[in-house]
Amino acid sequence: MKHKIYAIDSGFITSVGMYPYDVRCEMLKTAGYDAIMPNLSWKTWEDVPKFLSTPTRHGIDVHGVYFTVDLAMPCDGEYLNKRLNLFDNLPQGSLLSFSIQASYPDEALRKRRLEQWLSTLLRAAEQTKRTLSLYPHIGLWTETFEDCIKICRQNAHPLLKSTFSALQWYAARSKSGLAETLAPNAQLLGDVNLTGVSRNGPCFGCTTAEVGRGEFDAFALLAILQTLDYQKALGVNCWHIGGYPLAVHERSLAAIRKMEQDLEQFPDWIPDFTVHADF
């Protein structure tokens, strides 16, 4: 299956800083991507007013947006309003993906704050017909894919899903294999993004690379998603790679298209998912 492909714009942070939003969009359009997903954790909130006009101005969609929610912050005022403002500044169908920080040692207080934030964001999601997706991130409260799934199950709602990040999953050193991780949670899978990644390095204890390189087997992931009938878009996350962003994203997209083609042409190449190596 040929998926729509978007890129998280973290891959446009290089040794000289971050490329401007319009340049990011133009490069992704040139590379053949369908959409961009802005990462607002890099102090790029000033780009938000540009999101609605992106399809018209650049010919690519805004797949969604990534941000963080700190449970230490009150669920009101400017901090809340900046996040609620996203619902009105994204094209229809866009995803709101977020990680959760929580410094409270008191578990009961964390739970109350979480319920308050989820209730507020889900109310906005219902009103605007958008989906929320919890994003795993090493070092935050929602550190693993399993953490996100647990919150989804405890706060069951049709508009609350979880993102599978190849980088974050591999960095977390999950004891479960890919199929064991994804198959039982297929109905809660809101988004998937890929990164080439190997253990040991400066990025969450790993080294990142273009999709298809490194230890992580992106072909196996695509094969599993095919067996699960996953038909949503796929993301490319070229965070911490550097170099010329256009070339990096072109090669990552080409690798995904080649793997999709091989899956269709050679279905017997799909590996035995009951056997997985521990790097």
Side-chain angles (χ1 to χ4, degrees), residues 28-78:
L28 289 176
K29 175 64 175 178
T30 299
Y33 283 74
D34 299 294
I36 186 173
M37 184 169 186
N39 179 348
L40 296 180
S41 64
W42 296 104
K43 301 179 180 178
T44 52
W45 288 84
E46 68 272 10
D47 294 329
V48 172
K50 301 177 181 179
F51 294 166
L52 280 174
S53 62
T54 296
T56 301
R57 290 189 301 115
H58 298 295
I60 62 171
D61 295 327
V62 178
H63 172 75
V65 66
Y66 170 80
F67 59 98
T68 57
V69 168
D70 188 346
L71 298 186
M73 299 296 291
C75 190
D76 58 24
E78 182 182 0

Coordinates of all heavy atoms in Angstrom, one line a residue, residues 28-78:
L28 N 9.9 20.3 1.4 CA 9.1 19.0 1.5 C 8.3 18.8 0.2 O 8.2 17.7 -0.3 CB 8.2 19.0 2.7 CG 9.0 18.9 4.1 CD1 8.0 19.0 5.2 CD2 9.7 17.6 4.1
K29 N 7.7 19.9 -0.3 CA 7.0 19.8 -1.6 C 7.9 19.4 -2.7 O 7.6 18.5 -3.5 CB 6.3 21.2 -1.9 CG 5.6 21.2 -3.2 CD 4.4 20.3 -3.3 CE 3.7 20.4 -4.6 NZ 2.5 19.5 -4.7
T30 N 9.1 19.9 -2.7 CA 10.1 19.6 -3.8 C 10.5 18.1 -3.6 O 10.7 17.4 -4.6 CB 11.3 20.5 -3.6 OG1 10.9 21.9 -3.8 CG2 12.4 20.1 -4.7
A31 N 10.6 17.6 -2.4 CA 11.1 16.3 -2.2 C 10.0 15.2 -2.4 O 10.2 14.0 -2.5 CB 11.5 16.1 -0.7
G32 N 8.7 15.7 -2.6 CA 7.6 14.8 -2.9 C 6.7 14.4 -1.7 O 5.9 13.5 -1.8
Y33 N 6.8 15.1 -0.6 CA 6.0 14.8 0.6 C 4.6 15.4 0.4 O 4.3 16.3 -0.3 CB 6.6 15.4 1.8 CG 7.8 14.6 2.3 CD1 9.0 14.6 1.7 CD2 7.7 13.8 3.5 CE1 10.1 13.9 2.1 CE2 8.7 13.0 3.9 CZ 9.9 13.1 3.3 OH 11.0 12.3 3.7
D34 N 3.7 14.7 1.1 CA 2.3 15.1 1.1 C 1.9 16.2 2.1 O 1.0 16.9 1.9 CB 1.3 13.9 1.3 CG 1.5 12.9 0.2 OD1 1.2 13.2 -0.9 OD2 2.0 11.8 0.5
A35 N 2.7 16.2 3.2 CA 2.3 17.1 4.3 C 3.5 17.4 5.2 O 4.5 16.6 5.2 CB 1.2 16.5 5.1
I36 N 3.4 18.4 6.1 CA 4.3 18.7 7.1 C 3.7 18.6 8.5 O 2.4 18.7 8.6 CB 4.8 20.2 6.9 CG1 6.0 20.5 7.9 CG2 3.7 21.2 7.0 CD1 6.6 21.9 7.6
M37 N 4.4 18.3 9.5 CA 3.9 18.3 10.9 C 4.9 19.1 11.7 O 6.0 18.7 12.1 CB 3.9 16.9 11.4 CG 3.3 16.8 12.8 SD 2.9 15.1 13.3 CE 2.1 15.3 14.9
P38 N 4.5 20.4 12.0 CA 5.3 21.3 12.8 C 5.5 20.8 14.2 O 4.5 20.3 14.9 CB 4.5 22.6 12.8 CG 3.7 22.5 11.5 CD 3.3 21.1 11.5
N39 N 6.7 20.9 14.7 CA 7.0 20.6 16.1 C 7.1 21.9 16.9 O 8.1 22.6 16.8 CB 8.4 19.8 16.2 CG 8.8 19.4 17.6 OD1 8.2 19.9 18.6 ND2 9.8 18.6 17.7
L40 N 6.1 22.2 17.7 CA 6.1 23.5 18.4 C 7.0 23.5 19.6 O 7.0 24.6 20.3 CB 4.6 23.8 18.7 CG 3.7 24.0 17.5 CD1 2.3 24.4 18.0 CD2 4.3 25.1 16.6
S41 N 7.6 22.4 20.0 CA 8.5 22.4 21.2 C 9.8 23.2 20.9 O 10.5 23.5 21.8 CB 8.8 21.0 21.6 OG 9.6 20.3 20.6
W42 N 10.0 23.6 19.6 CA 11.2 24.4 19.3 C 10.9 25.9 19.1 O 11.5 26.6 18.3 CB 11.8 23.8 18.0 CG 12.2 22.4 18.1 CD1 11.6 21.3 17.7 CD2 13.3 22.0 18.9 NE1 12.3 20.2 18.2 CE2 13.3 20.6 18.9 CE3 14.4 22.6 19.6 CZ2 14.3 19.8 19.6 CZ3 15.3 21.9 20.3 CH2 15.3 20.5 20.2
K43 N 10.0 26.3 20.0 CA 9.7 27.8 20.1 C 9.3 28.4 18.7 O 9.7 29.5 18.3 CB 10.9 28.5 20.7 CG 11.3 28.0 22.1 CD 12.5 28.8 22.6 CE 12.8 28.3 24.0 NZ 14.0 28.9 24.6
T44 N 8.5 27.6 18.0 CA 8.0 28.1 16.7 C 6.5 28.4 16.7 O 5.9 28.3 15.6 CB 8.3 27.0 15.6 OG1 7.8 25.7 16.0 CG2 9.8 26.9 15.4
W45 N 6.0 28.8 17.8 CA 4.6 29.1 17.9 C 4.2 30.3 17.0 O 3.0 30.4 16.6 CB 4.2 29.4 19.3 CG 4.2 28.2 20.2 CD1 5.3 27.7 20.9 CD2 3.1 27.4 20.6 NE1 4.9 26.6 21.6 CE2 3.6 26.4 21.4 CE3 1.7 27.4 20.2 CZ2 2.7 25.4 22.0 CZ3 0.9 26.4 20.8 CH2 1.4 25.4 21.6
E46 N 5.1 31.1 16.6 CA 4.8 32.2 15.7 C 4.4 31.7 14.3 O 3.8 32.5 13.5 CB 6.0 33.2 15.6 CG 7.2 32.6 14.9 CD 8.2 31.9 15.8 OE1 7.8 31.7 17.0 OE2 9.3 31.6 15.4
D47 N 4.7 30.5 14.0 CA 4.3 29.9 12.7 C 2.8 29.5 12.7 O 2.3 29.2 11.6 CB 5.2 28.7 12.4 CG 6.6 29.0 12.2 OD1 6.9 30.1 11.7 OD2 7.5 28.2 12.5
V48 N 2.2 29.4 13.8 CA 0.8 28.8 13.9 C -0.2 29.5 12.9 O -0.9 28.9 12.2 CB 0.3 28.8 15.3 CG1 -1.2 28.5 15.4 CG2 1.1 27.9 16.2
P49 N -0.1 30.9 12.8 CA -1.1 31.5 11.9 C -0.9 31.2 10.4 O -1.8 31.4 9.6 CB -0.8 33.0 12.1 CG -0.2 33.1 13.5 CD 0.6 31.9 13.6
K50 N 0.2 30.5 10.1 CA 0.5 30.2 8.7 C -0.1 28.8 8.3 O -0.1 28.5 7.1 CB 2.0 30.1 8.4 CG 2.7 31.4 8.7 CD 4.2 31.3 8.5 CE 5.0 32.6 8.8 NZ 6.4 32.4 8.6
F51 N -0.5 28.0 9.3 CA -0.9 26.7 9.0 C -2.1 26.5 8.1 O -2.1 25.7 7.2 CB -1.2 25.9 10.3 CG 0.0 25.7 11.2 CD1 -0.2 25.4 12.6 CD2 1.3 25.9 10.8 CE1 0.9 25.2 13.4 CE2 2.4 25.8 11.6 CZ 2.2 25.4 12.9
L52 N -3.2 27.3 8.3 CA -4.4 27.2 7.5 C -4.1 27.5 6.0 O -4.7 26.9 5.1 CB -5.5 28.1 8.0 CG -6.2 27.7 9.3 CD1 -7.2 28.8 9.7 CD2 -7.0 26.4 9.0
S53 N -3.2 28.4 5.7 CA -3.0 28.8 4.3 C -1.9 27.9 3.7 O -1.6 28.1 2.5 CB -2.6 30.2 4.2 OG -1.4 30.5 4.9
T54 N -1.3 27.0 4.4 CA -0.2 26.2 3.9 C -0.6 25.4 2.6 O 0.2 25.4 1.6 CB 0.4 25.2 5.0 OG1 0.9 26.0 6.0 CG2 1.4 24.3 4.4
P55 N -1.7 24.7 2.6 CA -2.1 24.0 1.3 C -2.2 24.9 0.1 O -1.7 24.5 -1.0 CB -3.4 23.4 1.7 CG -3.4 23.2 3.2 CD -2.7 24.5 3.7
T56 N -2.7 26.1 0.3 CA -2.8 27.0 -0.8 C -1.5 27.6 -1.2 O -1.2 27.7 -2.4 CB -3.8 28.1 -0.5 OG1 -5.1 27.6 -0.1 CG2 -4.0 29.1 -1.6
R57 N -0.7 28.0 -0.2 CA 0.6 28.7 -0.5 C 1.7 27.7 -1.0 O 2.5 28.1 -1.8 CB 1.0 29.5 0.7 CG 0.2 30.7 1.0 CD 0.8 31.5 2.1 NE 1.0 30.8 3.3 CZ 2.2 30.6 3.9 NH1 3.3 31.0 3.3 NH2 2.3 29.9 5.0
H58 N 1.7 26.5 -0.5 CA 2.8 25.6 -0.7 C 2.4 24.3 -1.4 O 3.3 23.5 -1.7 CB 3.6 25.3 0.6 CG 4.2 26.5 1.2 ND1 5.2 27.3 0.6 CD2 3.9 27.2 2.4 CE1 5.5 28.3 1.4 NE2 4.7 28.3 2.4
G59 N 1.2 24.0 -1.5 CA 0.7 22.7 -2.1 C 0.9 21.5 -1.3 O 0.9 20.4 -1.9
I60 N 1.1 21.6 0.0 CA 1.2 20.4 0.8 C 0.2 20.7 2.0 O -0.1 21.8 2.4 CB 2.6 20.1 1.4 CG1 3.1 21.3 2.2 CG2 3.6 19.8 0.2 CD1 4.4 21.0 2.9
D61 N -0.2 19.6 2.7 CA -1.1 19.7 3.8 C -0.3 19.8 5.1 O 0.9 19.6 5.2 CB -2.0 18.4 3.9 CG -2.9 18.2 2.7 OD1 -3.3 19.3 2.2 OD2 -3.1 17.1 2.3
V62 N -1.1 20.2 6.1 CA -0.5 20.2 7.5 C -1.1 18.9 8.1 O -2.3 18.9 8.5 CB -0.9 21.4 8.3 CG1 -0.3 21.3 9.7 CG2 -0.3 22.7 7.6
H63 N -0.3 17.9 8.3 CA -0.8 16.6 8.8 C -1.3 16.8 10.2 O -2.3 16.2 10.7 CB 0.3 15.6 8.8 CG 0.0 14.3 9.5 ND1 -0.9 13.3 9.0 CD2 0.4 13.8 10.7 CE1 -1.0 12.3 9.8 NE2 -0.2 12.6 10.9
G64 N -0.6 17.6 11.0 CA -0.9 17.8 12.4 C 0.1 18.7 13.0 O 1.0 19.3 12.3
V65 N 0.2 18.7 14.3 CA 1.1 19.5 15.1 C 1.5 18.7 16.3 O 0.8 18.0 16.9 CB 0.5 20.9 15.4 CG1 -0.7 20.7 16.4 CG2 1.5 21.8 15.9
Y66 N 2.8 19.0 16.8 CA 3.3 18.4 18.0 C 3.6 19.4 19.0 O 4.2 20.5 18.7 CB 4.5 17.5 17.8 CG 5.2 17.1 19.0 CD1 4.7 16.0 19.7 CD2 6.3 17.8 19.6 CE1 5.3 15.6 20.9 CE2 6.8 17.4 20.8 CZ 6.4 16.3 21.5 OH 6.9 15.9 22.7
F67 N 3.1 19.2 20.3 CA 3.4 20.1 21.4 C 3.5 19.4 22.7 O 3.3 18.1 22.7 CB 2.4 21.2 21.4 CG 1.0 20.7 21.6 CD1 0.4 20.7 22.9 CD2 0.2 20.3 20.6 CE1 -0.9 20.3 23.1 CE2 -1.1 19.8 20.8 CZ -1.7 19.8 22.0
T68 N 3.8 20.0 23.7 CA 3.9 19.4 25.0 C 2.8 20.0 26.0 O 2.5 21.2 25.8 CB 5.3 19.5 25.7 OG1 5.6 20.9 25.8 CG2 6.3 18.8 24.9
V69 N 2.4 19.3 27.0 CA 1.6 19.8 28.0 C 2.3 19.5 29.4 O 2.6 18.3 29.6 CB 0.2 19.1 28.0 CG1 -0.6 19.4 29.3 CG2 -0.6 19.5 26.8
D70 N 2.5 20.5 30.1 CA 3.1 20.4 31.4 C 2.1 20.4 32.5 O 1.4 21.4 32.7 CB 4.1 21.5 31.7 CG 5.0 21.3 32.9 OD1 4.6 20.5 33.7 OD2 6.0 22.1 33.1
L71 N 1.9 19.3 33.2 CA 0.8 19.2 34.2 C 1.1 20.2 35.4 O 0.2 20.4 36.2 CB 0.7 17.8 34.7 CG 0.3 16.7 33.7 CD1 0.1 15.4 34.4 CD2 -0.9 17.2 32.9
A72 N 2.3 20.7 35.5 CA 2.6 21.7 36.5 C 1.9 23.1 36.2 O 1.8 23.9 37.1 CB 4.1 21.9 36.7
M73 N 1.6 23.2 34.9 CA 0.9 24.5 34.5 C -0.6 24.4 34.7 O -1.2 23.4 34.4 CB 1.3 24.8 33.1 CG 2.7 24.9 32.8 SD 3.5 26.3 33.6 CE 2.7 27.7 32.7
P74 N -1.2 25.5 35.1 CA -2.6 25.5 35.3 C -3.4 25.3 34.0 O -2.9 25.8 32.9 CB -2.9 26.9 35.9 CG -1.8 27.7 35.5 CD -0.6 26.8 35.5
C75 N -4.5 24.7 34.0 CA -5.3 24.4 32.8 C -6.2 25.7 32.6 O -7.4 25.6 32.5 CB -6.1 23.2 33.0 SG -6.9 22.6 31.5
D76 N -5.6 26.8 32.4 CA -6.3 28.0 32.1 C -5.2 29.1 31.7 O -4.0 28.8 31.5 CB -7.1 28.5 33.3 CG -6.2 28.8 34.6 OD1 -5.0 29.0 34.4 OD2 -6.7 28.7 35.7
G77 N -5.7 30.3 31.4 CA -4.8 31.4 31.0 C -4.1 31.2 29.7 O -4.5 30.4 28.8
E78 N -3.0 31.9 29.5 CA -2.3 31.9 28.3 C -1.7 30.6 27.9 O -1.8 30.2 26.7 CB -1.1 32.9 28.3 CG -0.3 33.1 27.0 CD 0.9 34.0 27.1 OE1 1.1 34.6 28.2 OE2 1.6 34.2 26.1

